[in-house]
Each structure stands twice: as structure tokens, then as C-alpha cells.
Amino acid sequence: MGADQHLDWISAAAATLDWWQEAGVDVLVDEAPRDWLHAPMPEAPALPRPAPAGSAPVAAPAPPPAATMPDALDAFLAWRLGEAVPEARWHGISVASSGPADAALMVLVDCPDKDDGDAGTLLSGAAGRLFDRMLAAIGQSRDTVHLAAVCARRPTAGRMPRDVEDELATIARHHIALVGPKRLLLLGNAASRAILSAEMPGSRGSLHPFNHTRGTTEVVASFHPRFLIEKPVAKAEAWKDLQLLIGGLSA
């Protein structure tokens, strides 16, 4: 392979990785190494035995009833950190939401960052410092917004598992309804999917109505601060999203 061909291959690979990140891929590999060549083959599921001739058909077991979520915010926040939620099976520390219960502005991220469990707060590291500056630029702070995550505990791979995505989205929507904010800022692709059922790049640039039991909340989707640290050029677009978010909020 010539030098020019080698450089073309590197450029193509870099462009592909950039496209994946723009499309919402949060991590490219698991945090723990995996030997794919020697991974055990999954066991075949056992086939049900046929019922004896003349016997009554046996009904399939009913799925367990969905956990009832509390209708009061304080009770819900305590329930959110308990054993009835999908994340209770994951390793790590659950991180509570923060901010006023009656905040006019709510912010929803995908999940805690790596250091958030030990810090006891969402967005505690470099992404959090950028987030604080973003809030300050629109006259807000952590004391004035209600900050929450779709996943209360960080997934092993750093992104929301698809098998519990719908359940976590239902929990997040209930959380929003209990706060009843005027505006909601979704940071990142997973948060956009959970609330708008749409990928973040395509849902940016508009106010989306989200109807719930307490009325309607206007929703803005934007980039997660983690992405803005990696792609500073996107900050100009993020600023447009913040202006859209805050416009007319005090009215």
C-alpha cells in the first residue's frame, strides 16, 4: 500500500468515526475488554414440551405488572433511587436529580458521567463546568433549574441499553409531568429519543410540545456538553438552542 493510499484510509476511517458521533454513538467499545474470538456460544432456548393429548391448554404466564410510580414528586424521587427501577440491577451508584421542584426550566441528560456517582451530583466534571457556563449565559444556574437523567445510574457501556430504553423513557416522562416545567432542555441523543422519540440532530432547532398530566411543556433538544468538549465548533449551534430555550420563558 502506497503512502497516499494509507493516508486516504486514515481519512476515511476518521470521517466514519466523526459521522457515528454526530449520529449519537456515545462510545465505540465497552469499558471492559472482551475476547470476541473466544466468546461462549449462547445456549439454545429450551423448546416447550407438547401437552398430552386431551389435556386442557396451559396459559402462558402473565408478565409481571409494571411498578406503580408515585404521583408526588418527593415520593417519586425516593422511589427513583430504590430497587423497583431497571438500573437497580446495574453496578455503581444512583445519582439523584437536583433543583427546585417547581422549576420553570428542566434539563434532562442521558445518564451520570463516570465521576458523578462519587460526587453525588449529575454533570460533576469537565462537562459539568461547561454546563454551568451554558446556564450562566442564559441567566440560569443549578439553583434555578431541575436537573435529571434518563438513567439514574451509569450503564456499564456508558450508553442506555436498548432493552430498557422504553421503560426508562416512561419513567422520565412521568418525572417531567411531576415537575411540570415551562421548558425542557434535552442534552444528547438518548434524552431526545426518550422524550421526543427522535434522534437529536433531527430534532434540533424547534420548540416541540410535550403534553402531560399538568399541561404542556415546550422542549428543546441540543448537544450534550461532552460532545461540545470534543467538537467545540458545535458551540455556535448550541448557543442558538439555548436562545430558543430561554426565549419568552419569563413571560
Side-chain angles (χ1 to χ4, degrees):
M1 179 181 296
D4 292 342
Q5 290 178 308
H6 181 69
L7 291 176
D8 289 345
W9 182 88
I10 293 176
S11 299
T16 300
L17 294 177
D18 286 342
W19 186 90
W20 282 352
Q21 190 172 41
E22 292 284 354
V25 177
D26 297 313
V27 294
L28 300 180
V29 295
D30 288 347
E31 293 179 350
R34 182 180 302 185
D35 189 350
W36 293 100
L37 296 179
H38 298 88
M41 293 294 291
E43 295 182 2
L47 296 176
R49 295 181 180 179
S55 62
V58 178
T68 301
M69 292 181 283
D71 288 328
L73 183 59
D74 288 345
F76 170 82
L77 296 180
W79 174 87
R80 192 69 187 84
L81 302 179
E83 297 300 318
V85 297
E87 306 97 311
R89 302 186 298 269
W90 304 352
H91 295 294
I93 302 172
S94 293
V95 182
S97 61
S98 62
D102 58 349
L105 176 59
M106 182 173 177
V107 181
L108 189 70
V109 297
D110 51 355
C111 64
D113 288 331
K114 289 182 179 180
D115 298 329
D116 289 355
D118 293 333
T121 185
L122 294 168
L123 294 172
S124 63
R129 291 189 288 273
L130 176 56
F131 173 67
D132 290 339
R133 294 197 296 271
M134 292 166 65
L135 289 181
I138 57 173
Q140 302 288 322
S141 71
R142 292 183 189 240
D143 293 331
T144 63
V145 304
H146 190 92
L147 174 62
V150 179
C151 299
R153 191 173 295 186
R154 181 175 174 81
T156 301
R159 56 183 173 181
M160 192 187 312
R162 289 299 182 119
D163 60 334
V164 293
E165 193 171 63
D166 289 344
E167 188 176 358
L168 289 169
T170 298
I171 294 172
R173 293 184 185 118
H174 186 70
H175 191 165
I176 296 165
L178 294 180
V179 177
K182 292 182 179 180
R183 295 276 172 84
L184 170 66
L185 176 62
L186 304 175
L187 294 178
N189 203 43
S192 179
R193 284 199 310 268
I195 306 306
L196 299 178
S197 300
E199 305 296 327
M200 183 274 295
S203 56
R204 284 190 55 251
S206 300
L207 284 172
H208 302 271
F210 174 67
N211 300 317
H212 49 78
T213 55
R214 296 184 59 185
T216 299
T217 292
E218 294 179 311
V219 182
V220 173
S222 188
F223 304 99
H224 194 288
R226 286 192 303 261
F227 179 83
L228 296 176
I229 291 174
E230 296 294 328
K231 294 283 186 180
V233 68
K235 288 182 179 180
E237 293 300 312
W239 173 239
K240 294 178 184 178
D241 297 334
L242 292 177
Q243 290 177 307
L244 178 63
L245 175 75
I246 205 67
L249 183 61
S250 60

